[in-house]
Amino acid sequence: MSGQTGERVIFAILGVPMLICMLIFSWILSLLLTGIGSVRWELLTVSALQGGMFEMIVGTIYLLLGATAIAGPVGILAAIYLVEYAPSRGLTRIIDQAINNLAGVPSIVIGLFGYTFFCRHLRLGVSLTAGWLTLALMMLPIIIRGSEEALRMVPASFKEAALALGATRWKAISSTTLPAAAPGVVTSVILGIARVAGETAAILFTSCVLITRGLPRSPLEPVMALSYNLFVKIVALGTPAQKVFGVALVLFMIVTSLSLSAILLRIHYRKGQPWLMIR
Amino acid sequence: MNLESFLKSLHKLFMRLKSQPVEFILFFCASFSIVILLLMFLFVVKEGSLAFVRLGVQLIFGQRWETNSDLYGGFPLVYGSLMVVSGALVISVPLGICTSIFIAEVLPFQLRDPVKSIIELLASIPSVIYGFIGATFLAPLIASIFELHSGATALTASLILAIMVLPTIVGVSGETISAVPRDYKEAALALGASKWQIIRNVVLPFSKSGMLASVMLGFGRAIGETVAVLMVAGNVAMVPTPPWNYLAPVYPVTAVIAMQMGEAAVGSLEYSALFGLGSILFIITFVVNTIADVIVRRGPVTRGVQL
Amino acid sequence: MHRSIPTLRAILAMSLLFIVGVASGYYVNPLLSPPTVVWEEDSAWRTDGISISGSTTVLPIANACAIAFMNKYTGTSITISGGGSGRGYSEVIDGVVDIGMASRPPKQEEIDDAREKGAALWLYPIALDGVCVVVHPSVNETLRLTLQEVAKIFAGIYTRWSEVKPGLPDEPIYVVVREPGSGTRGTFEEFVMKPYGYSVTDAAHVQPSNPAIRTMIETTPYSIGYIGFGFITPNMVVVALAEEEGKPYIYPTTENIASFKYPISRYLYLVTSTRPESGSLTDRFIDFVLSPEGQEIVEEQGFLKLPKYPSGY
Amino acid sequence: MVNDKIDIRNLNVWFRDNHVLKDVSFKIRENAVTAIMGPSGCGKTTLIRAINRMNDLIYGCRTSGDVYIDGHNIYDGNINVYELRRKVGMVFQKPNPFPKSIYENVAFGPRIHKVASGRELDEIVERSLREAALWDEVKDRLHDNAFNLSGGQQQRLCIARALAVKPEIILMDEPCSALDPAATAKIEALIRRLSKKYTVIVVTHNLQQAARISDFTAFLYMGKLIEYGDTKSVFENPHSELTEKYITGKFG
């Protein structure tokens, strides 16, 4: 019995860190929730010129939609190549390595690159397009990794069955493997969006402005975004925290609901795919 | 692989791609990452070349960073980065690894998914929100605990960073723990091993390389973190006195880039020095990621390696 | 298994969503601005747009002015982003923005760069930034210090007043400063601390605003601090400063700050690359900042308004 | 004198909504080999995993009923599960040595239970390997990696590993299904030999094997115990029609 008491002590020691993690999370949540009362929600639909944040919310959504439209297809197709086509292990290995490294590049460096390459070299200027491209670079590795995982989880027998019936390779993949992997692929895309939704450093130099009138009229105009606004107001303008609480909270809610939906989607679909239960 | 056979396989690949348009498109998408990575390195280093040429090692080892007098010595900045990151890792590595073990091996099944999800959510909170929380809640707390005038210190930055890299460490080491083959665990269980004995004798030896990789990845994430650090580190470009004084402000590399990029006139020495710092950062994270990658690959996948 | 490619469908849906989003932007945009009024004297600037970037010190002024301006002239669009003085100059020279913001005069390289690219830099001072060193009357009724002495006090090298100058009380110095990140502190440190390589002592007492510093200095014997010019009261002693030993000691007055005789003073500028065309939006906006209404905003943001509106530019 | 070692009473096991074992009750004789046979999916493995409570570790598994070993109910709240598993050794379908040396594999159990060290441990290792009929083959390379052994040797190593903690009961879950006939024969001989000292329970779907090695045979079908008795009578003279059909190869 003394062995079991010792074990309990060890588990308590191991468990305390987990409790600390949970505490940190609830602490952050409670901090943000305490400010909820002081936020005036009608500001959501009021223009920034009247002190609202309508353009920032829509601007953030613009940035995310555009980046997804670029990184989504490229990422998914890349994942399909890596899982289903990639011929030599050496090449796959190099691409794999590149994706891992791309995922590890600090966002500030991506921002620097975006500024010199998209804004200056490609002459896009500080614009929505430059922001899309920069954010797409950040989303890409997440989408590729997630989609790859989803595709790998689909048993090869699905595809082989279609091949045996005389389907071409692409036809076989697109009619069997892809539908089965679709939930995982969509999850990875949402995760990618969530990852860049609150991104500041990458769009700091490439696509955001503090104030302008209305929404961008063309993809070559700059945009207002929640994260940038929060950052500049606190760091450069020294605005007291209470005044930007609303922005912080809206940003938090957008990002958290995105990633929460991705997590729930994943849990839901793992339960719904019987071949994933076999280990 | 020698060059000739590499070229041969490359040629074969191209022949295949030519005959199959679908495959060609897919290949193009897949190789996109390599192209981007190369471009990134090329352009960041190119913009930094002026500083490398004019300042040389001074950019890394110079003691003073003073824009007004055109002095760009990155040492205090690099030191600040390393200080903040090591502080963060000292806090988050034990926390993260214990948590991942606890979740995978001890926590009741029903609780695993919710707990993992919550930790994953921590990862997705934007860094500007972390900065906001750090600046508005944590810094005053630190100030009052240690009776400082300002809570913007290396310690505050380390704490915030620790929270930010925790999910990375928990996630990656959790993955390697769940990759421990069930066979081994069952064999040990059948011998009457207790849960703790299984953790110590089976799980830990098996997943230690994965855990090391998670620490490396955590390091990579932490050293690249910008906005949150900038908002809480105090941003004073000096090595604290004494050098281990965590209650002094520091000015990490990423914060300098984010703060001064706007100031710098394009093409000036300052501009180039910032890109120089950027390429140093790029190289550091590249090396760390590659090491982590190698560790992961060498890790638990191969059966029959002496543990 | 005849479900056709949901991934492709998802991509299509995403792009569709994107198009709908952008299209709705076009739809919503006009709703954001009130209906266009037919102006009596209609001129092009009323529906024009300009962009501004540069110094973060000037940013709050420009931001507040732009919001006020756009609310007044509802057809105009002014885009502002931060950066820094360097960014302001370079983007004005390159023609990326219409107006730059700067908290310092241009450096020689910037002037050269402008000449090379055929731009003439036009500087419009829009506000003054002067930082006054003040002490509690218990120190002395009049106090004259060199910048180096001030720096040593704030760096904590002098800890008692008697060490600074003979005749001052043998009491510990109570140093009050602003929080890091404050523009006032930035200016002070740039002019006083940085040239000597000092940094503010850990023993300094940090106060979050000009009024807080005012109260602190007024109520604490043997205290020293710095404060925006507009916040000086008779209950404190303003220190005369000399750039170095042997140079004259200068009191911060409007004239001395405006003429830069007082060592811790600077203009904040708006910069254009050519003289703006009269009646253009650029011209109108600069006029607005310099108008009494604009100068009111300058003061609200904690800076000194210009002594008299410069007309010679 | 013959004793009943294990007494299973009204054992039911569910995996989520799946009722895997239905009301199984029987007694297992001490120092004998009991074979459990039946078609795949009938609950054989679940049954033996219930005897050392390995099912506890599977998410969604519920158990009701009692299992008595030497008169103690192992599903009692205050039983020490680790002690139980030490007393009830287990050998798995696929050989699963740890990725360590041969010596370390066998020493693993004694080490974690801290019953021996040094010379004493060496002796335990030697004794266990001898008992598992592996000593002569490996005595010169005890510190080689266990993966260098052949499949049959690996399985015997796993048996030696189980023996090293001095169990009273040994559960074997189709121990020969991954082995070739020669290795199988060795293991079968070993099982016969072990039954002199240990209570052995072997799961198998191989009828001949059950007939060859066991003293008693239980036949499971769809989670129910159809027939149980001494091997001879079960094979020659089955009570149930189902058993007869199975033995004569009509299904399964």
Side-chain angles (χ1 to χ4, degrees):
Chain A
M1 275 299 141
S2 74
Q4 276 183 335
T5 349
E7 189 158 82
R8 283 210 188 106
V9 172
I10 290 163
F11 286 164
I13 293 169
L14 282 178
V16 164
M18 193 205 73
L19 287 180
I20 293 176
C21 291
M22 297 295 108
L23 271 179
I24 291 171
F25 182 76
S26 37
W27 182 63
I28 289 173
L29 212 59
S30 67
L31 286 183
L32 291 171
L33 289 183
T34 48
I36 222 166
S38 66
V39 177
R40 288 165 47 221
W41 294 108
E42 59 271 22
L43 290 183
L44 285 182
T45 52
V46 171
S47 160
L49 291 180
Q50 273 82 47
M53 44 184 146
F54 178 77
E55 291 97 325
M56 297 165 208
I57 295 172
V58 179
T60 303
I61 293 171
Y62 272 20
L63 279 170
L64 294 180
L65 285 175
T68 313
I70 298 167
V74 174
I76 294 168
L77 294 179
I80 293 174
Y81 182 82
L82 286 174
V83 175
E84 302 289 349
Y85 284 86
S88 73
R89 289 182 75 196
L91 184 74
T92 322
R93 176 90 206 263
I94 294 172
I95 295 177
D96 248 23
Q97 186 85 49
I99 293 166
N100 278 350
N101 279 315
L102 192 60
V105 175
S107 55
I108 186 82
V109 176
I110 293 194
L112 284 179
F113 169 71
Y115 181 68
T116 62
F117 190 68
F118 299 132
C119 298
R120 296 187 62 85
H121 192 78
L122 299 184
R123 295 179 190 286
L124 292 172
V126 174
S127 66
L128 200 48
T129 318
W132 287 340
L133 291 166
T134 317
L135 289 184
L137 295 188
M138 297 197 65
M139 290 173 78
L140 200 57
I142 300 164
I143 294 180
I144 298 180
R145 279 272 162 275
S147 310
E148 247 189 293
E149 201 185 314
L151 288 168
R152 277 192 216 286
M153 279 194 176
V154 180
S157 56
F158 286 24
K159 180 184 61 186
E160 280 158 7
L163 283 173
L165 293 172
T168 61
R169 201 168 179 191
W170 170 250
K171 189 76 200 151
I173 292 166
S174 61
S175 63
T176 58
T177 312
L178 269 185
V185 170
V186 172
T187 310
S188 77
V189 173
I190 299 178
L191 271 183
I193 300 174
R195 168 84 172 81
V196 301
E199 184 48 47
T200 313
I203 52 174
L204 197 54
F205 325 122
T206 52
S207 85
C208 285
V209 289
L210 181 57
I211 190 106
T212 181
R213 178 185 293 283
L215 297 162
R217 285 158 194 80
S218 87
L220 287 175
E221 280 185 23
V223 67
M224 287 188 250
L226 288 167
S227 56
Y228 178 82
N229 191 272
L230 184 60
F231 173 75
V232 173
K233 282 212 170 130
I234 291 181
V235 172
L237 302 186
T239 315
Q242 293 76 19
K243 289 199 176 166
V244 288
F245 219 109
V247 178
L249 206 58
V250 170
L251 182 59
F252 174 79
M253 278 160 54
I254 290 177
V255 176
T256 316
S257 54
L258 273 171
S259 30
L260 197 63
S261 59
I263 291 167
L264 291 180
L265 200 69
R266 191 179 53 207
I267 292 176
H268 176 75
Y269 277 106
R270 288 221 169 138
K271 280 187 183 139
Q273 290 173 297
W275 61 87
L276 294 184
M277 302 301 285
I278 306 158
R279 296 186 54 104
Chain B
M1 195 191 292
N2 61 19
L3 190 69
E4 199 182 330
S5 72
F6 179 73
L7 288 177
K8 218 181 249 172
S9 66
L10 215 62
H11 180 73
K12 235 167 77 187
L13 181 70
F14 274 113
M15 294 314 286
R16 260 181 72 180
L17 292 180
K18 241 172 86 180
S19 60
Q20 290 185 317
V22 174
E23 200 172 337
F24 181 77
I25 296 172
L26 294 180
F27 173 76
F28 175 77
C29 290
S31 49
F32 200 63
S33 317
I34 302 180
V35 176
I36 286 296
L37 209 61
L38 285 177
L39 274 180
M40 208 176 273
F41 183 75
L42 218 70
F43 270 83
V44 175
V45 169
K46 191 196 91 187
E47 298 279 3
S49 57
L50 177 71
F52 284 124
V53 172
R54 288 259 294 272
L55 302 169
V57 290
Q58 193 67 16
L59 186 60
I60 306 174
F61 296 108
Q63 292 288 337
R64 294 175 68 193
W65 181 274
E66 277 169 30
T67 317
N68 290 339
S69 33
D70 246 7
L71 274 177
Y72 303 106
F75 186 76
L77 317 179
V78 176
Y79 185 85
S81 272
L82 292 178
M83 185 169 167
V84 169
V85 170
S86 44
L89 289 185
V90 164
I91 300 165
S92 60
V93 166
L95 271 184
I97 287 182
C98 286
T99 304
S100 63
I101 295 173
F102 191 83
I103 292 175
E105 296 296 324
V106 187
L107 204 64
F109 285 99
Q110 307 88 293
L111 289 177
R112 284 181 194 178
D113 263 341
V115 170
K116 264 196 232 165
S117 307
I118 287 178
I119 289 175
E120 229 174 295
L121 271 188
L122 270 179
S124 69
I125 298 176
S127 56
V128 66
I129 300 279
Y130 276 116
F132 174 77
I133 288 168
T136 29
F137 300 103
L138 191 60
L141 196 69
I142 297 279
S144 68
I145 290 174
F146 295 99
E147 296 181 339
L148 301 171
H149 305 304
S150 160
T153 62
L155 177 67
T156 322
S158 289
L159 283 173
I160 284 289
L161 264 189
I163 300 176
M164 294 181 73
V165 298
L166 204 55
T168 309
I169 295 177
V170 174
V172 177
S173 54
E175 246 167 62
T176 54
I177 291 174
S178 60
V180 176
R182 230 176 117 157
D183 287 5
Y184 295 163
K185 280 200 229 164
E186 289 201 328
L189 270 171
L191 289 171
S194 64
K195 274 188 173 175
W196 169 243
Q197 285 164 335
I198 287 176
I199 291 171
R200 224 194 58 194
N201 293 304
V202 180
V203 173
L204 279 183
F206 198 90
S207 53
K208 65 184 174 204
S209 62
M211 287 177 178
L212 191 62
S214 79
V215 173
M216 298 296 279
L217 287 176
F219 176 88
R221 276 217 67 181
I223 201 156
E225 182 45 52
T226 308
V227 175
V229 173
L230 181 156
M231 289 163 91
V232 296
N235 301 347
V236 172
M238 264 191 353
V239 175
T241 44
W244 52 86
N245 181 7
Y246 267 92
L247 295 178
V250 291
Y251 204 175
V253 174
T254 48
V256 177
I257 299 175
M259 287 290 258
Q260 297 204 352
M261 241 318 267
E263 289 281 347
V266 174
S268 66
L269 183 60
E270 182 189 3
Y271 179 84
S272 179
L274 292 174
F275 273 89
L277 290 181
S279 30
I280 293 171
L281 210 57
F282 184 91
I283 292 165
I284 292 178
T285 48
F286 189 90
V287 169
V288 167
N289 274 305
T290 311
I291 295 175
D293 222 49
V294 170
I295 295 174
V296 168
R297 268 171 218 279
R298 214 188 42 193
V301 199
T302 45
R303 272 189 79 140
V305 172
Q306 193 96 28
L307 292 185
Chain C
M1 193 61 77
H2 195 76
R3 268 165 69 205
S4 73
I5 328 172
T7 319
L8 285 189
R9 222 190 273 168
I11 294 170
L12 263 175
M14 261 187 265
S15 337
L16 200 70
L17 203 66
F18 172 67
I19 294 164
V20 168
V22 174
S24 69
Y26 277 95
Y27 175 73
V28 172
N29 244 338
L31 300 182
L32 284 175
S33 40
T36 353
V37 184
V38 180
W39 305 96
E40 283 172 27
E41 281 176 77
D42 208 4
S43 47
W45 67 270
R46 288 183 188 274
T47 53
D48 210 358
I50 53 169
S51 55
I52 303 177
S53 80
S55 160
T56 47
T57 315
V58 192
L59 194 60
I61 300 176
N63 185 35
C65 284
I67 289 175
F69 189 85
M70 281 193 273
N71 281 330
K72 195 168 173 186
Y73 305 106
T74 49
T76 59
S77 165
I78 296 168
T79 300
I80 295 186
S81 53
S85 301
R87 178 80 161 270
Y89 280 116
S90 77
E91 294 199 338
V92 157
I93 293 167
D94 290 343
V96 179
V97 295
D98 302 273
I99 304 177
M101 303 178 279
S103 56
R104 56 168 170 80
K107 292 179 188 167
Q108 190 56 44
E109 327 151 24
E110 283 158 349
I111 296 172
D112 294 344
D113 190 33
R115 192 170 299 144
E116 212 171 279
K117 291 177 178 159
L121 291 177
W122 284 76
L123 267 62
Y124 295 85
I126 53 162
L128 272 169
D129 194 12
V131 179
C132 310
V133 178
V134 289
V135 296
H136 188 263
S138 59
V139 178
N140 207 321
E141 284 306 315
T142 55
L143 189 62
R144 300 146 77 97
L145 296 170
T146 63
L147 285 188
Q148 188 166 14
E149 283 165 343
V150 175
K152 281 185 173 169
I153 291 171
F154 277 89
I157 294 168
Y158 296 136
T159 54
R160 305 182 78 82
W161 281 110
S162 51
E163 294 167 14
V164 182
K165 263 184 185 164
L168 293 177
D170 186 21
E171 294 286 344
I173 304 175
Y174 190 93
V175 178
V176 186
V177 297
R178 286 289 300 279
E179 82 283 4
S182 134
T184 314
R185 176 170 174 157
T187 310
F188 176 81
E189 293 192 353
E190 191 182 320
F191 281 83
V192 182
M193 308 301 282
K194 268 192 191 163
Y196 301 100
Y198 294 145
S199 62
V200 170
T201 167
D202 289 344
H205 297 257
V206 181
Q207 291 297 323
S209 66
N210 272 316
I213 295 238
R214 181 174 61 196
T215 319
M216 196 84 182
I217 298 289
E218 282 176 347
T219 55
T220 316
Y222 311 113
S223 59
I224 184 168
Y226 49 80
I227 200 166
F229 181 73
F231 295 88
I232 292 174
T233 67
N235 300 330
M236 52 181 75
V237 172
V238 179
V239 180
L241 297 179
E243 275 180 54
E244 52 193 71
E245 201 71 50
K247 291 219 174 153
Y249 289 94
I250 313 285
Y251 279 103
T253 59
T254 321
E255 292 77 32
N256 284 342
I257 293 174
S259 64
F260 285 81
K261 280 190 188 139
Y262 183 69
I264 324 177
S265 52
R266 60 174 172 178
Y267 274 122
L268 305 179
Y269 304 95
L270 291 183
V271 187
T272 58
S273 61
T274 52
R275 182 175 185 147
E277 217 172 290
S278 153
S280 67
L281 179 56
T282 307
D283 188 47
R284 292 289 174 147
F285 181 68
I286 293 173
D287 275 356
F288 176 81
V289 179
L290 294 175
S291 71
E293 199 181 344
Q295 291 294 302
E296 211 47 46
I297 295 172
V298 166
E299 264 198 332
E300 271 168 31
Q301 300 294 327
F303 296 92
L304 254 184
K305 53 181 169 185
L306 296 173
K308 52 179 188 275
Y309 309 133
S311 52
Y313 288 91
Chain D
M1 179 190 154
V2 272
N3 273 330
D4 288 330
K5 184 74 176 170
I6 305 171
D7 184 357
I8 299 169
R9 292 185 200 164
N10 301 358
L11 187 67
N12 283 283
V13 178
W14 291 264
F15 291 126
R16 302 238 168 109
D17 303 329
N18 192 0
H19 197 167
V20 183
L21 280 187
K22 296 168 189 160
D23 237 5
V24 173
S25 306
F26 67 113
K27 292 174 178 164
I28 292 170
R29 201 66 70 76
E30 192 168 10
N31 292 355
V33 179
T34 304
I36 298 171
M37 60 177 199
S40 348
C42 68
K44 299 174 300 232
T45 302
T46 309
L47 175 60
I48 63 162
R49 286 172 70 99
I51 297 174
N52 65 350
R53 289 186 57 175
M54 290 282 275
N55 284 334
D56 294 11
L57 302 156
I58 295 169
Y59 180 42
C61 175
R62 271 183 311 125
T63 308
S64 81
D66 304 313
V67 175
Y68 289 89
I69 296 179
D70 293 336
H72 301 289
N73 186 355
I74 63 166
Y75 284 94
D76 243 14
N78 57 11
I79 194 120
N80 184 338
V81 191
Y82 309 127
E83 266 312 305
L84 166 74
R85 295 204 186 112
R86 189 184 154 185
K87 218 163 99 178
V88 184
M90 189 165 190
V91 176
F92 297 82
Q93 196 166 357
K94 222 172 69 195
N96 59 348
F98 296 118
K100 299 174 185 237
S101 71
I102 295 168
Y103 182 93
E104 283 301 321
N105 260 288
V106 182
F108 186 90
R111 267 198 217 281
I112 60 171
H113 294 298
K114 298 198 182 68
V115 292
S117 62
R119 285 218 53 79
E120 219 181 324
L121 188 60
D122 293 348
E123 278 162 24
I124 291 180
V125 170
E126 184 178 341
R127 177 184 58 78
S128 310
L129 284 169
R130 276 190 199 283
E131 265 189 292
L134 193 62
W135 175 253
D136 294 329
E137 293 163 55
V138 301
K139 64 179 176 220
D140 301 323
R141 46 176 180 138
L142 284 177
H143 296 284
D144 266 20
N145 194 305
F147 285 104
N148 296 338
L149 298 175
S150 72
Q153 287 173 323
Q154 285 190 14
Q155 193 62 298
R156 274 179 286 151
L157 178 66
C158 292
I159 295 174
R161 184 175 65 187
L163 295 176
V165 292
K166 299 198 179 115
E168 295 166 18
I169 301 166
I170 300 171
L171 306 172
M172 295 189 174
D173 186 1
E174 304 194 25
C176 304
S177 67
L179 305 177
D180 60 65
T184 303
K186 274 190 185 163
I187 302 266
E188 284 181 3
L190 177 59
I191 291 172
R192 286 302 322 160
R193 205 141 21 87
L194 288 175
S195 70
K196 295 196 179 81
K197 267 178 80 183
Y198 305 95
T199 306
V200 182
I201 302 167
V202 181
V203 162
T204 178
H205 56 230
N206 181 333
L207 291 167
Q208 286 80 5
Q209 190 175 55
R212 273 198 305 271
I213 61 174
S214 67
D215 305 310
F216 298 90
T217 298
F219 175 58
L220 276 180
Y221 182 70
M222 305 273 284
K224 284 194 188 117
L225 181 69
I226 305 295
E227 180 128 11
Y228 176 60
D230 70 78
T231 304
K232 220 171 170 193
S233 62
V234 169
F235 274 85
E236 286 171 6
N237 184 1
H239 291 290
S240 153
E241 209 177 316
L242 272 171
T243 319
E244 194 180 342
K245 272 188 181 169
Y246 184 69
I247 291 169
T248 51
K250 298 262 168 55
F251 70 88

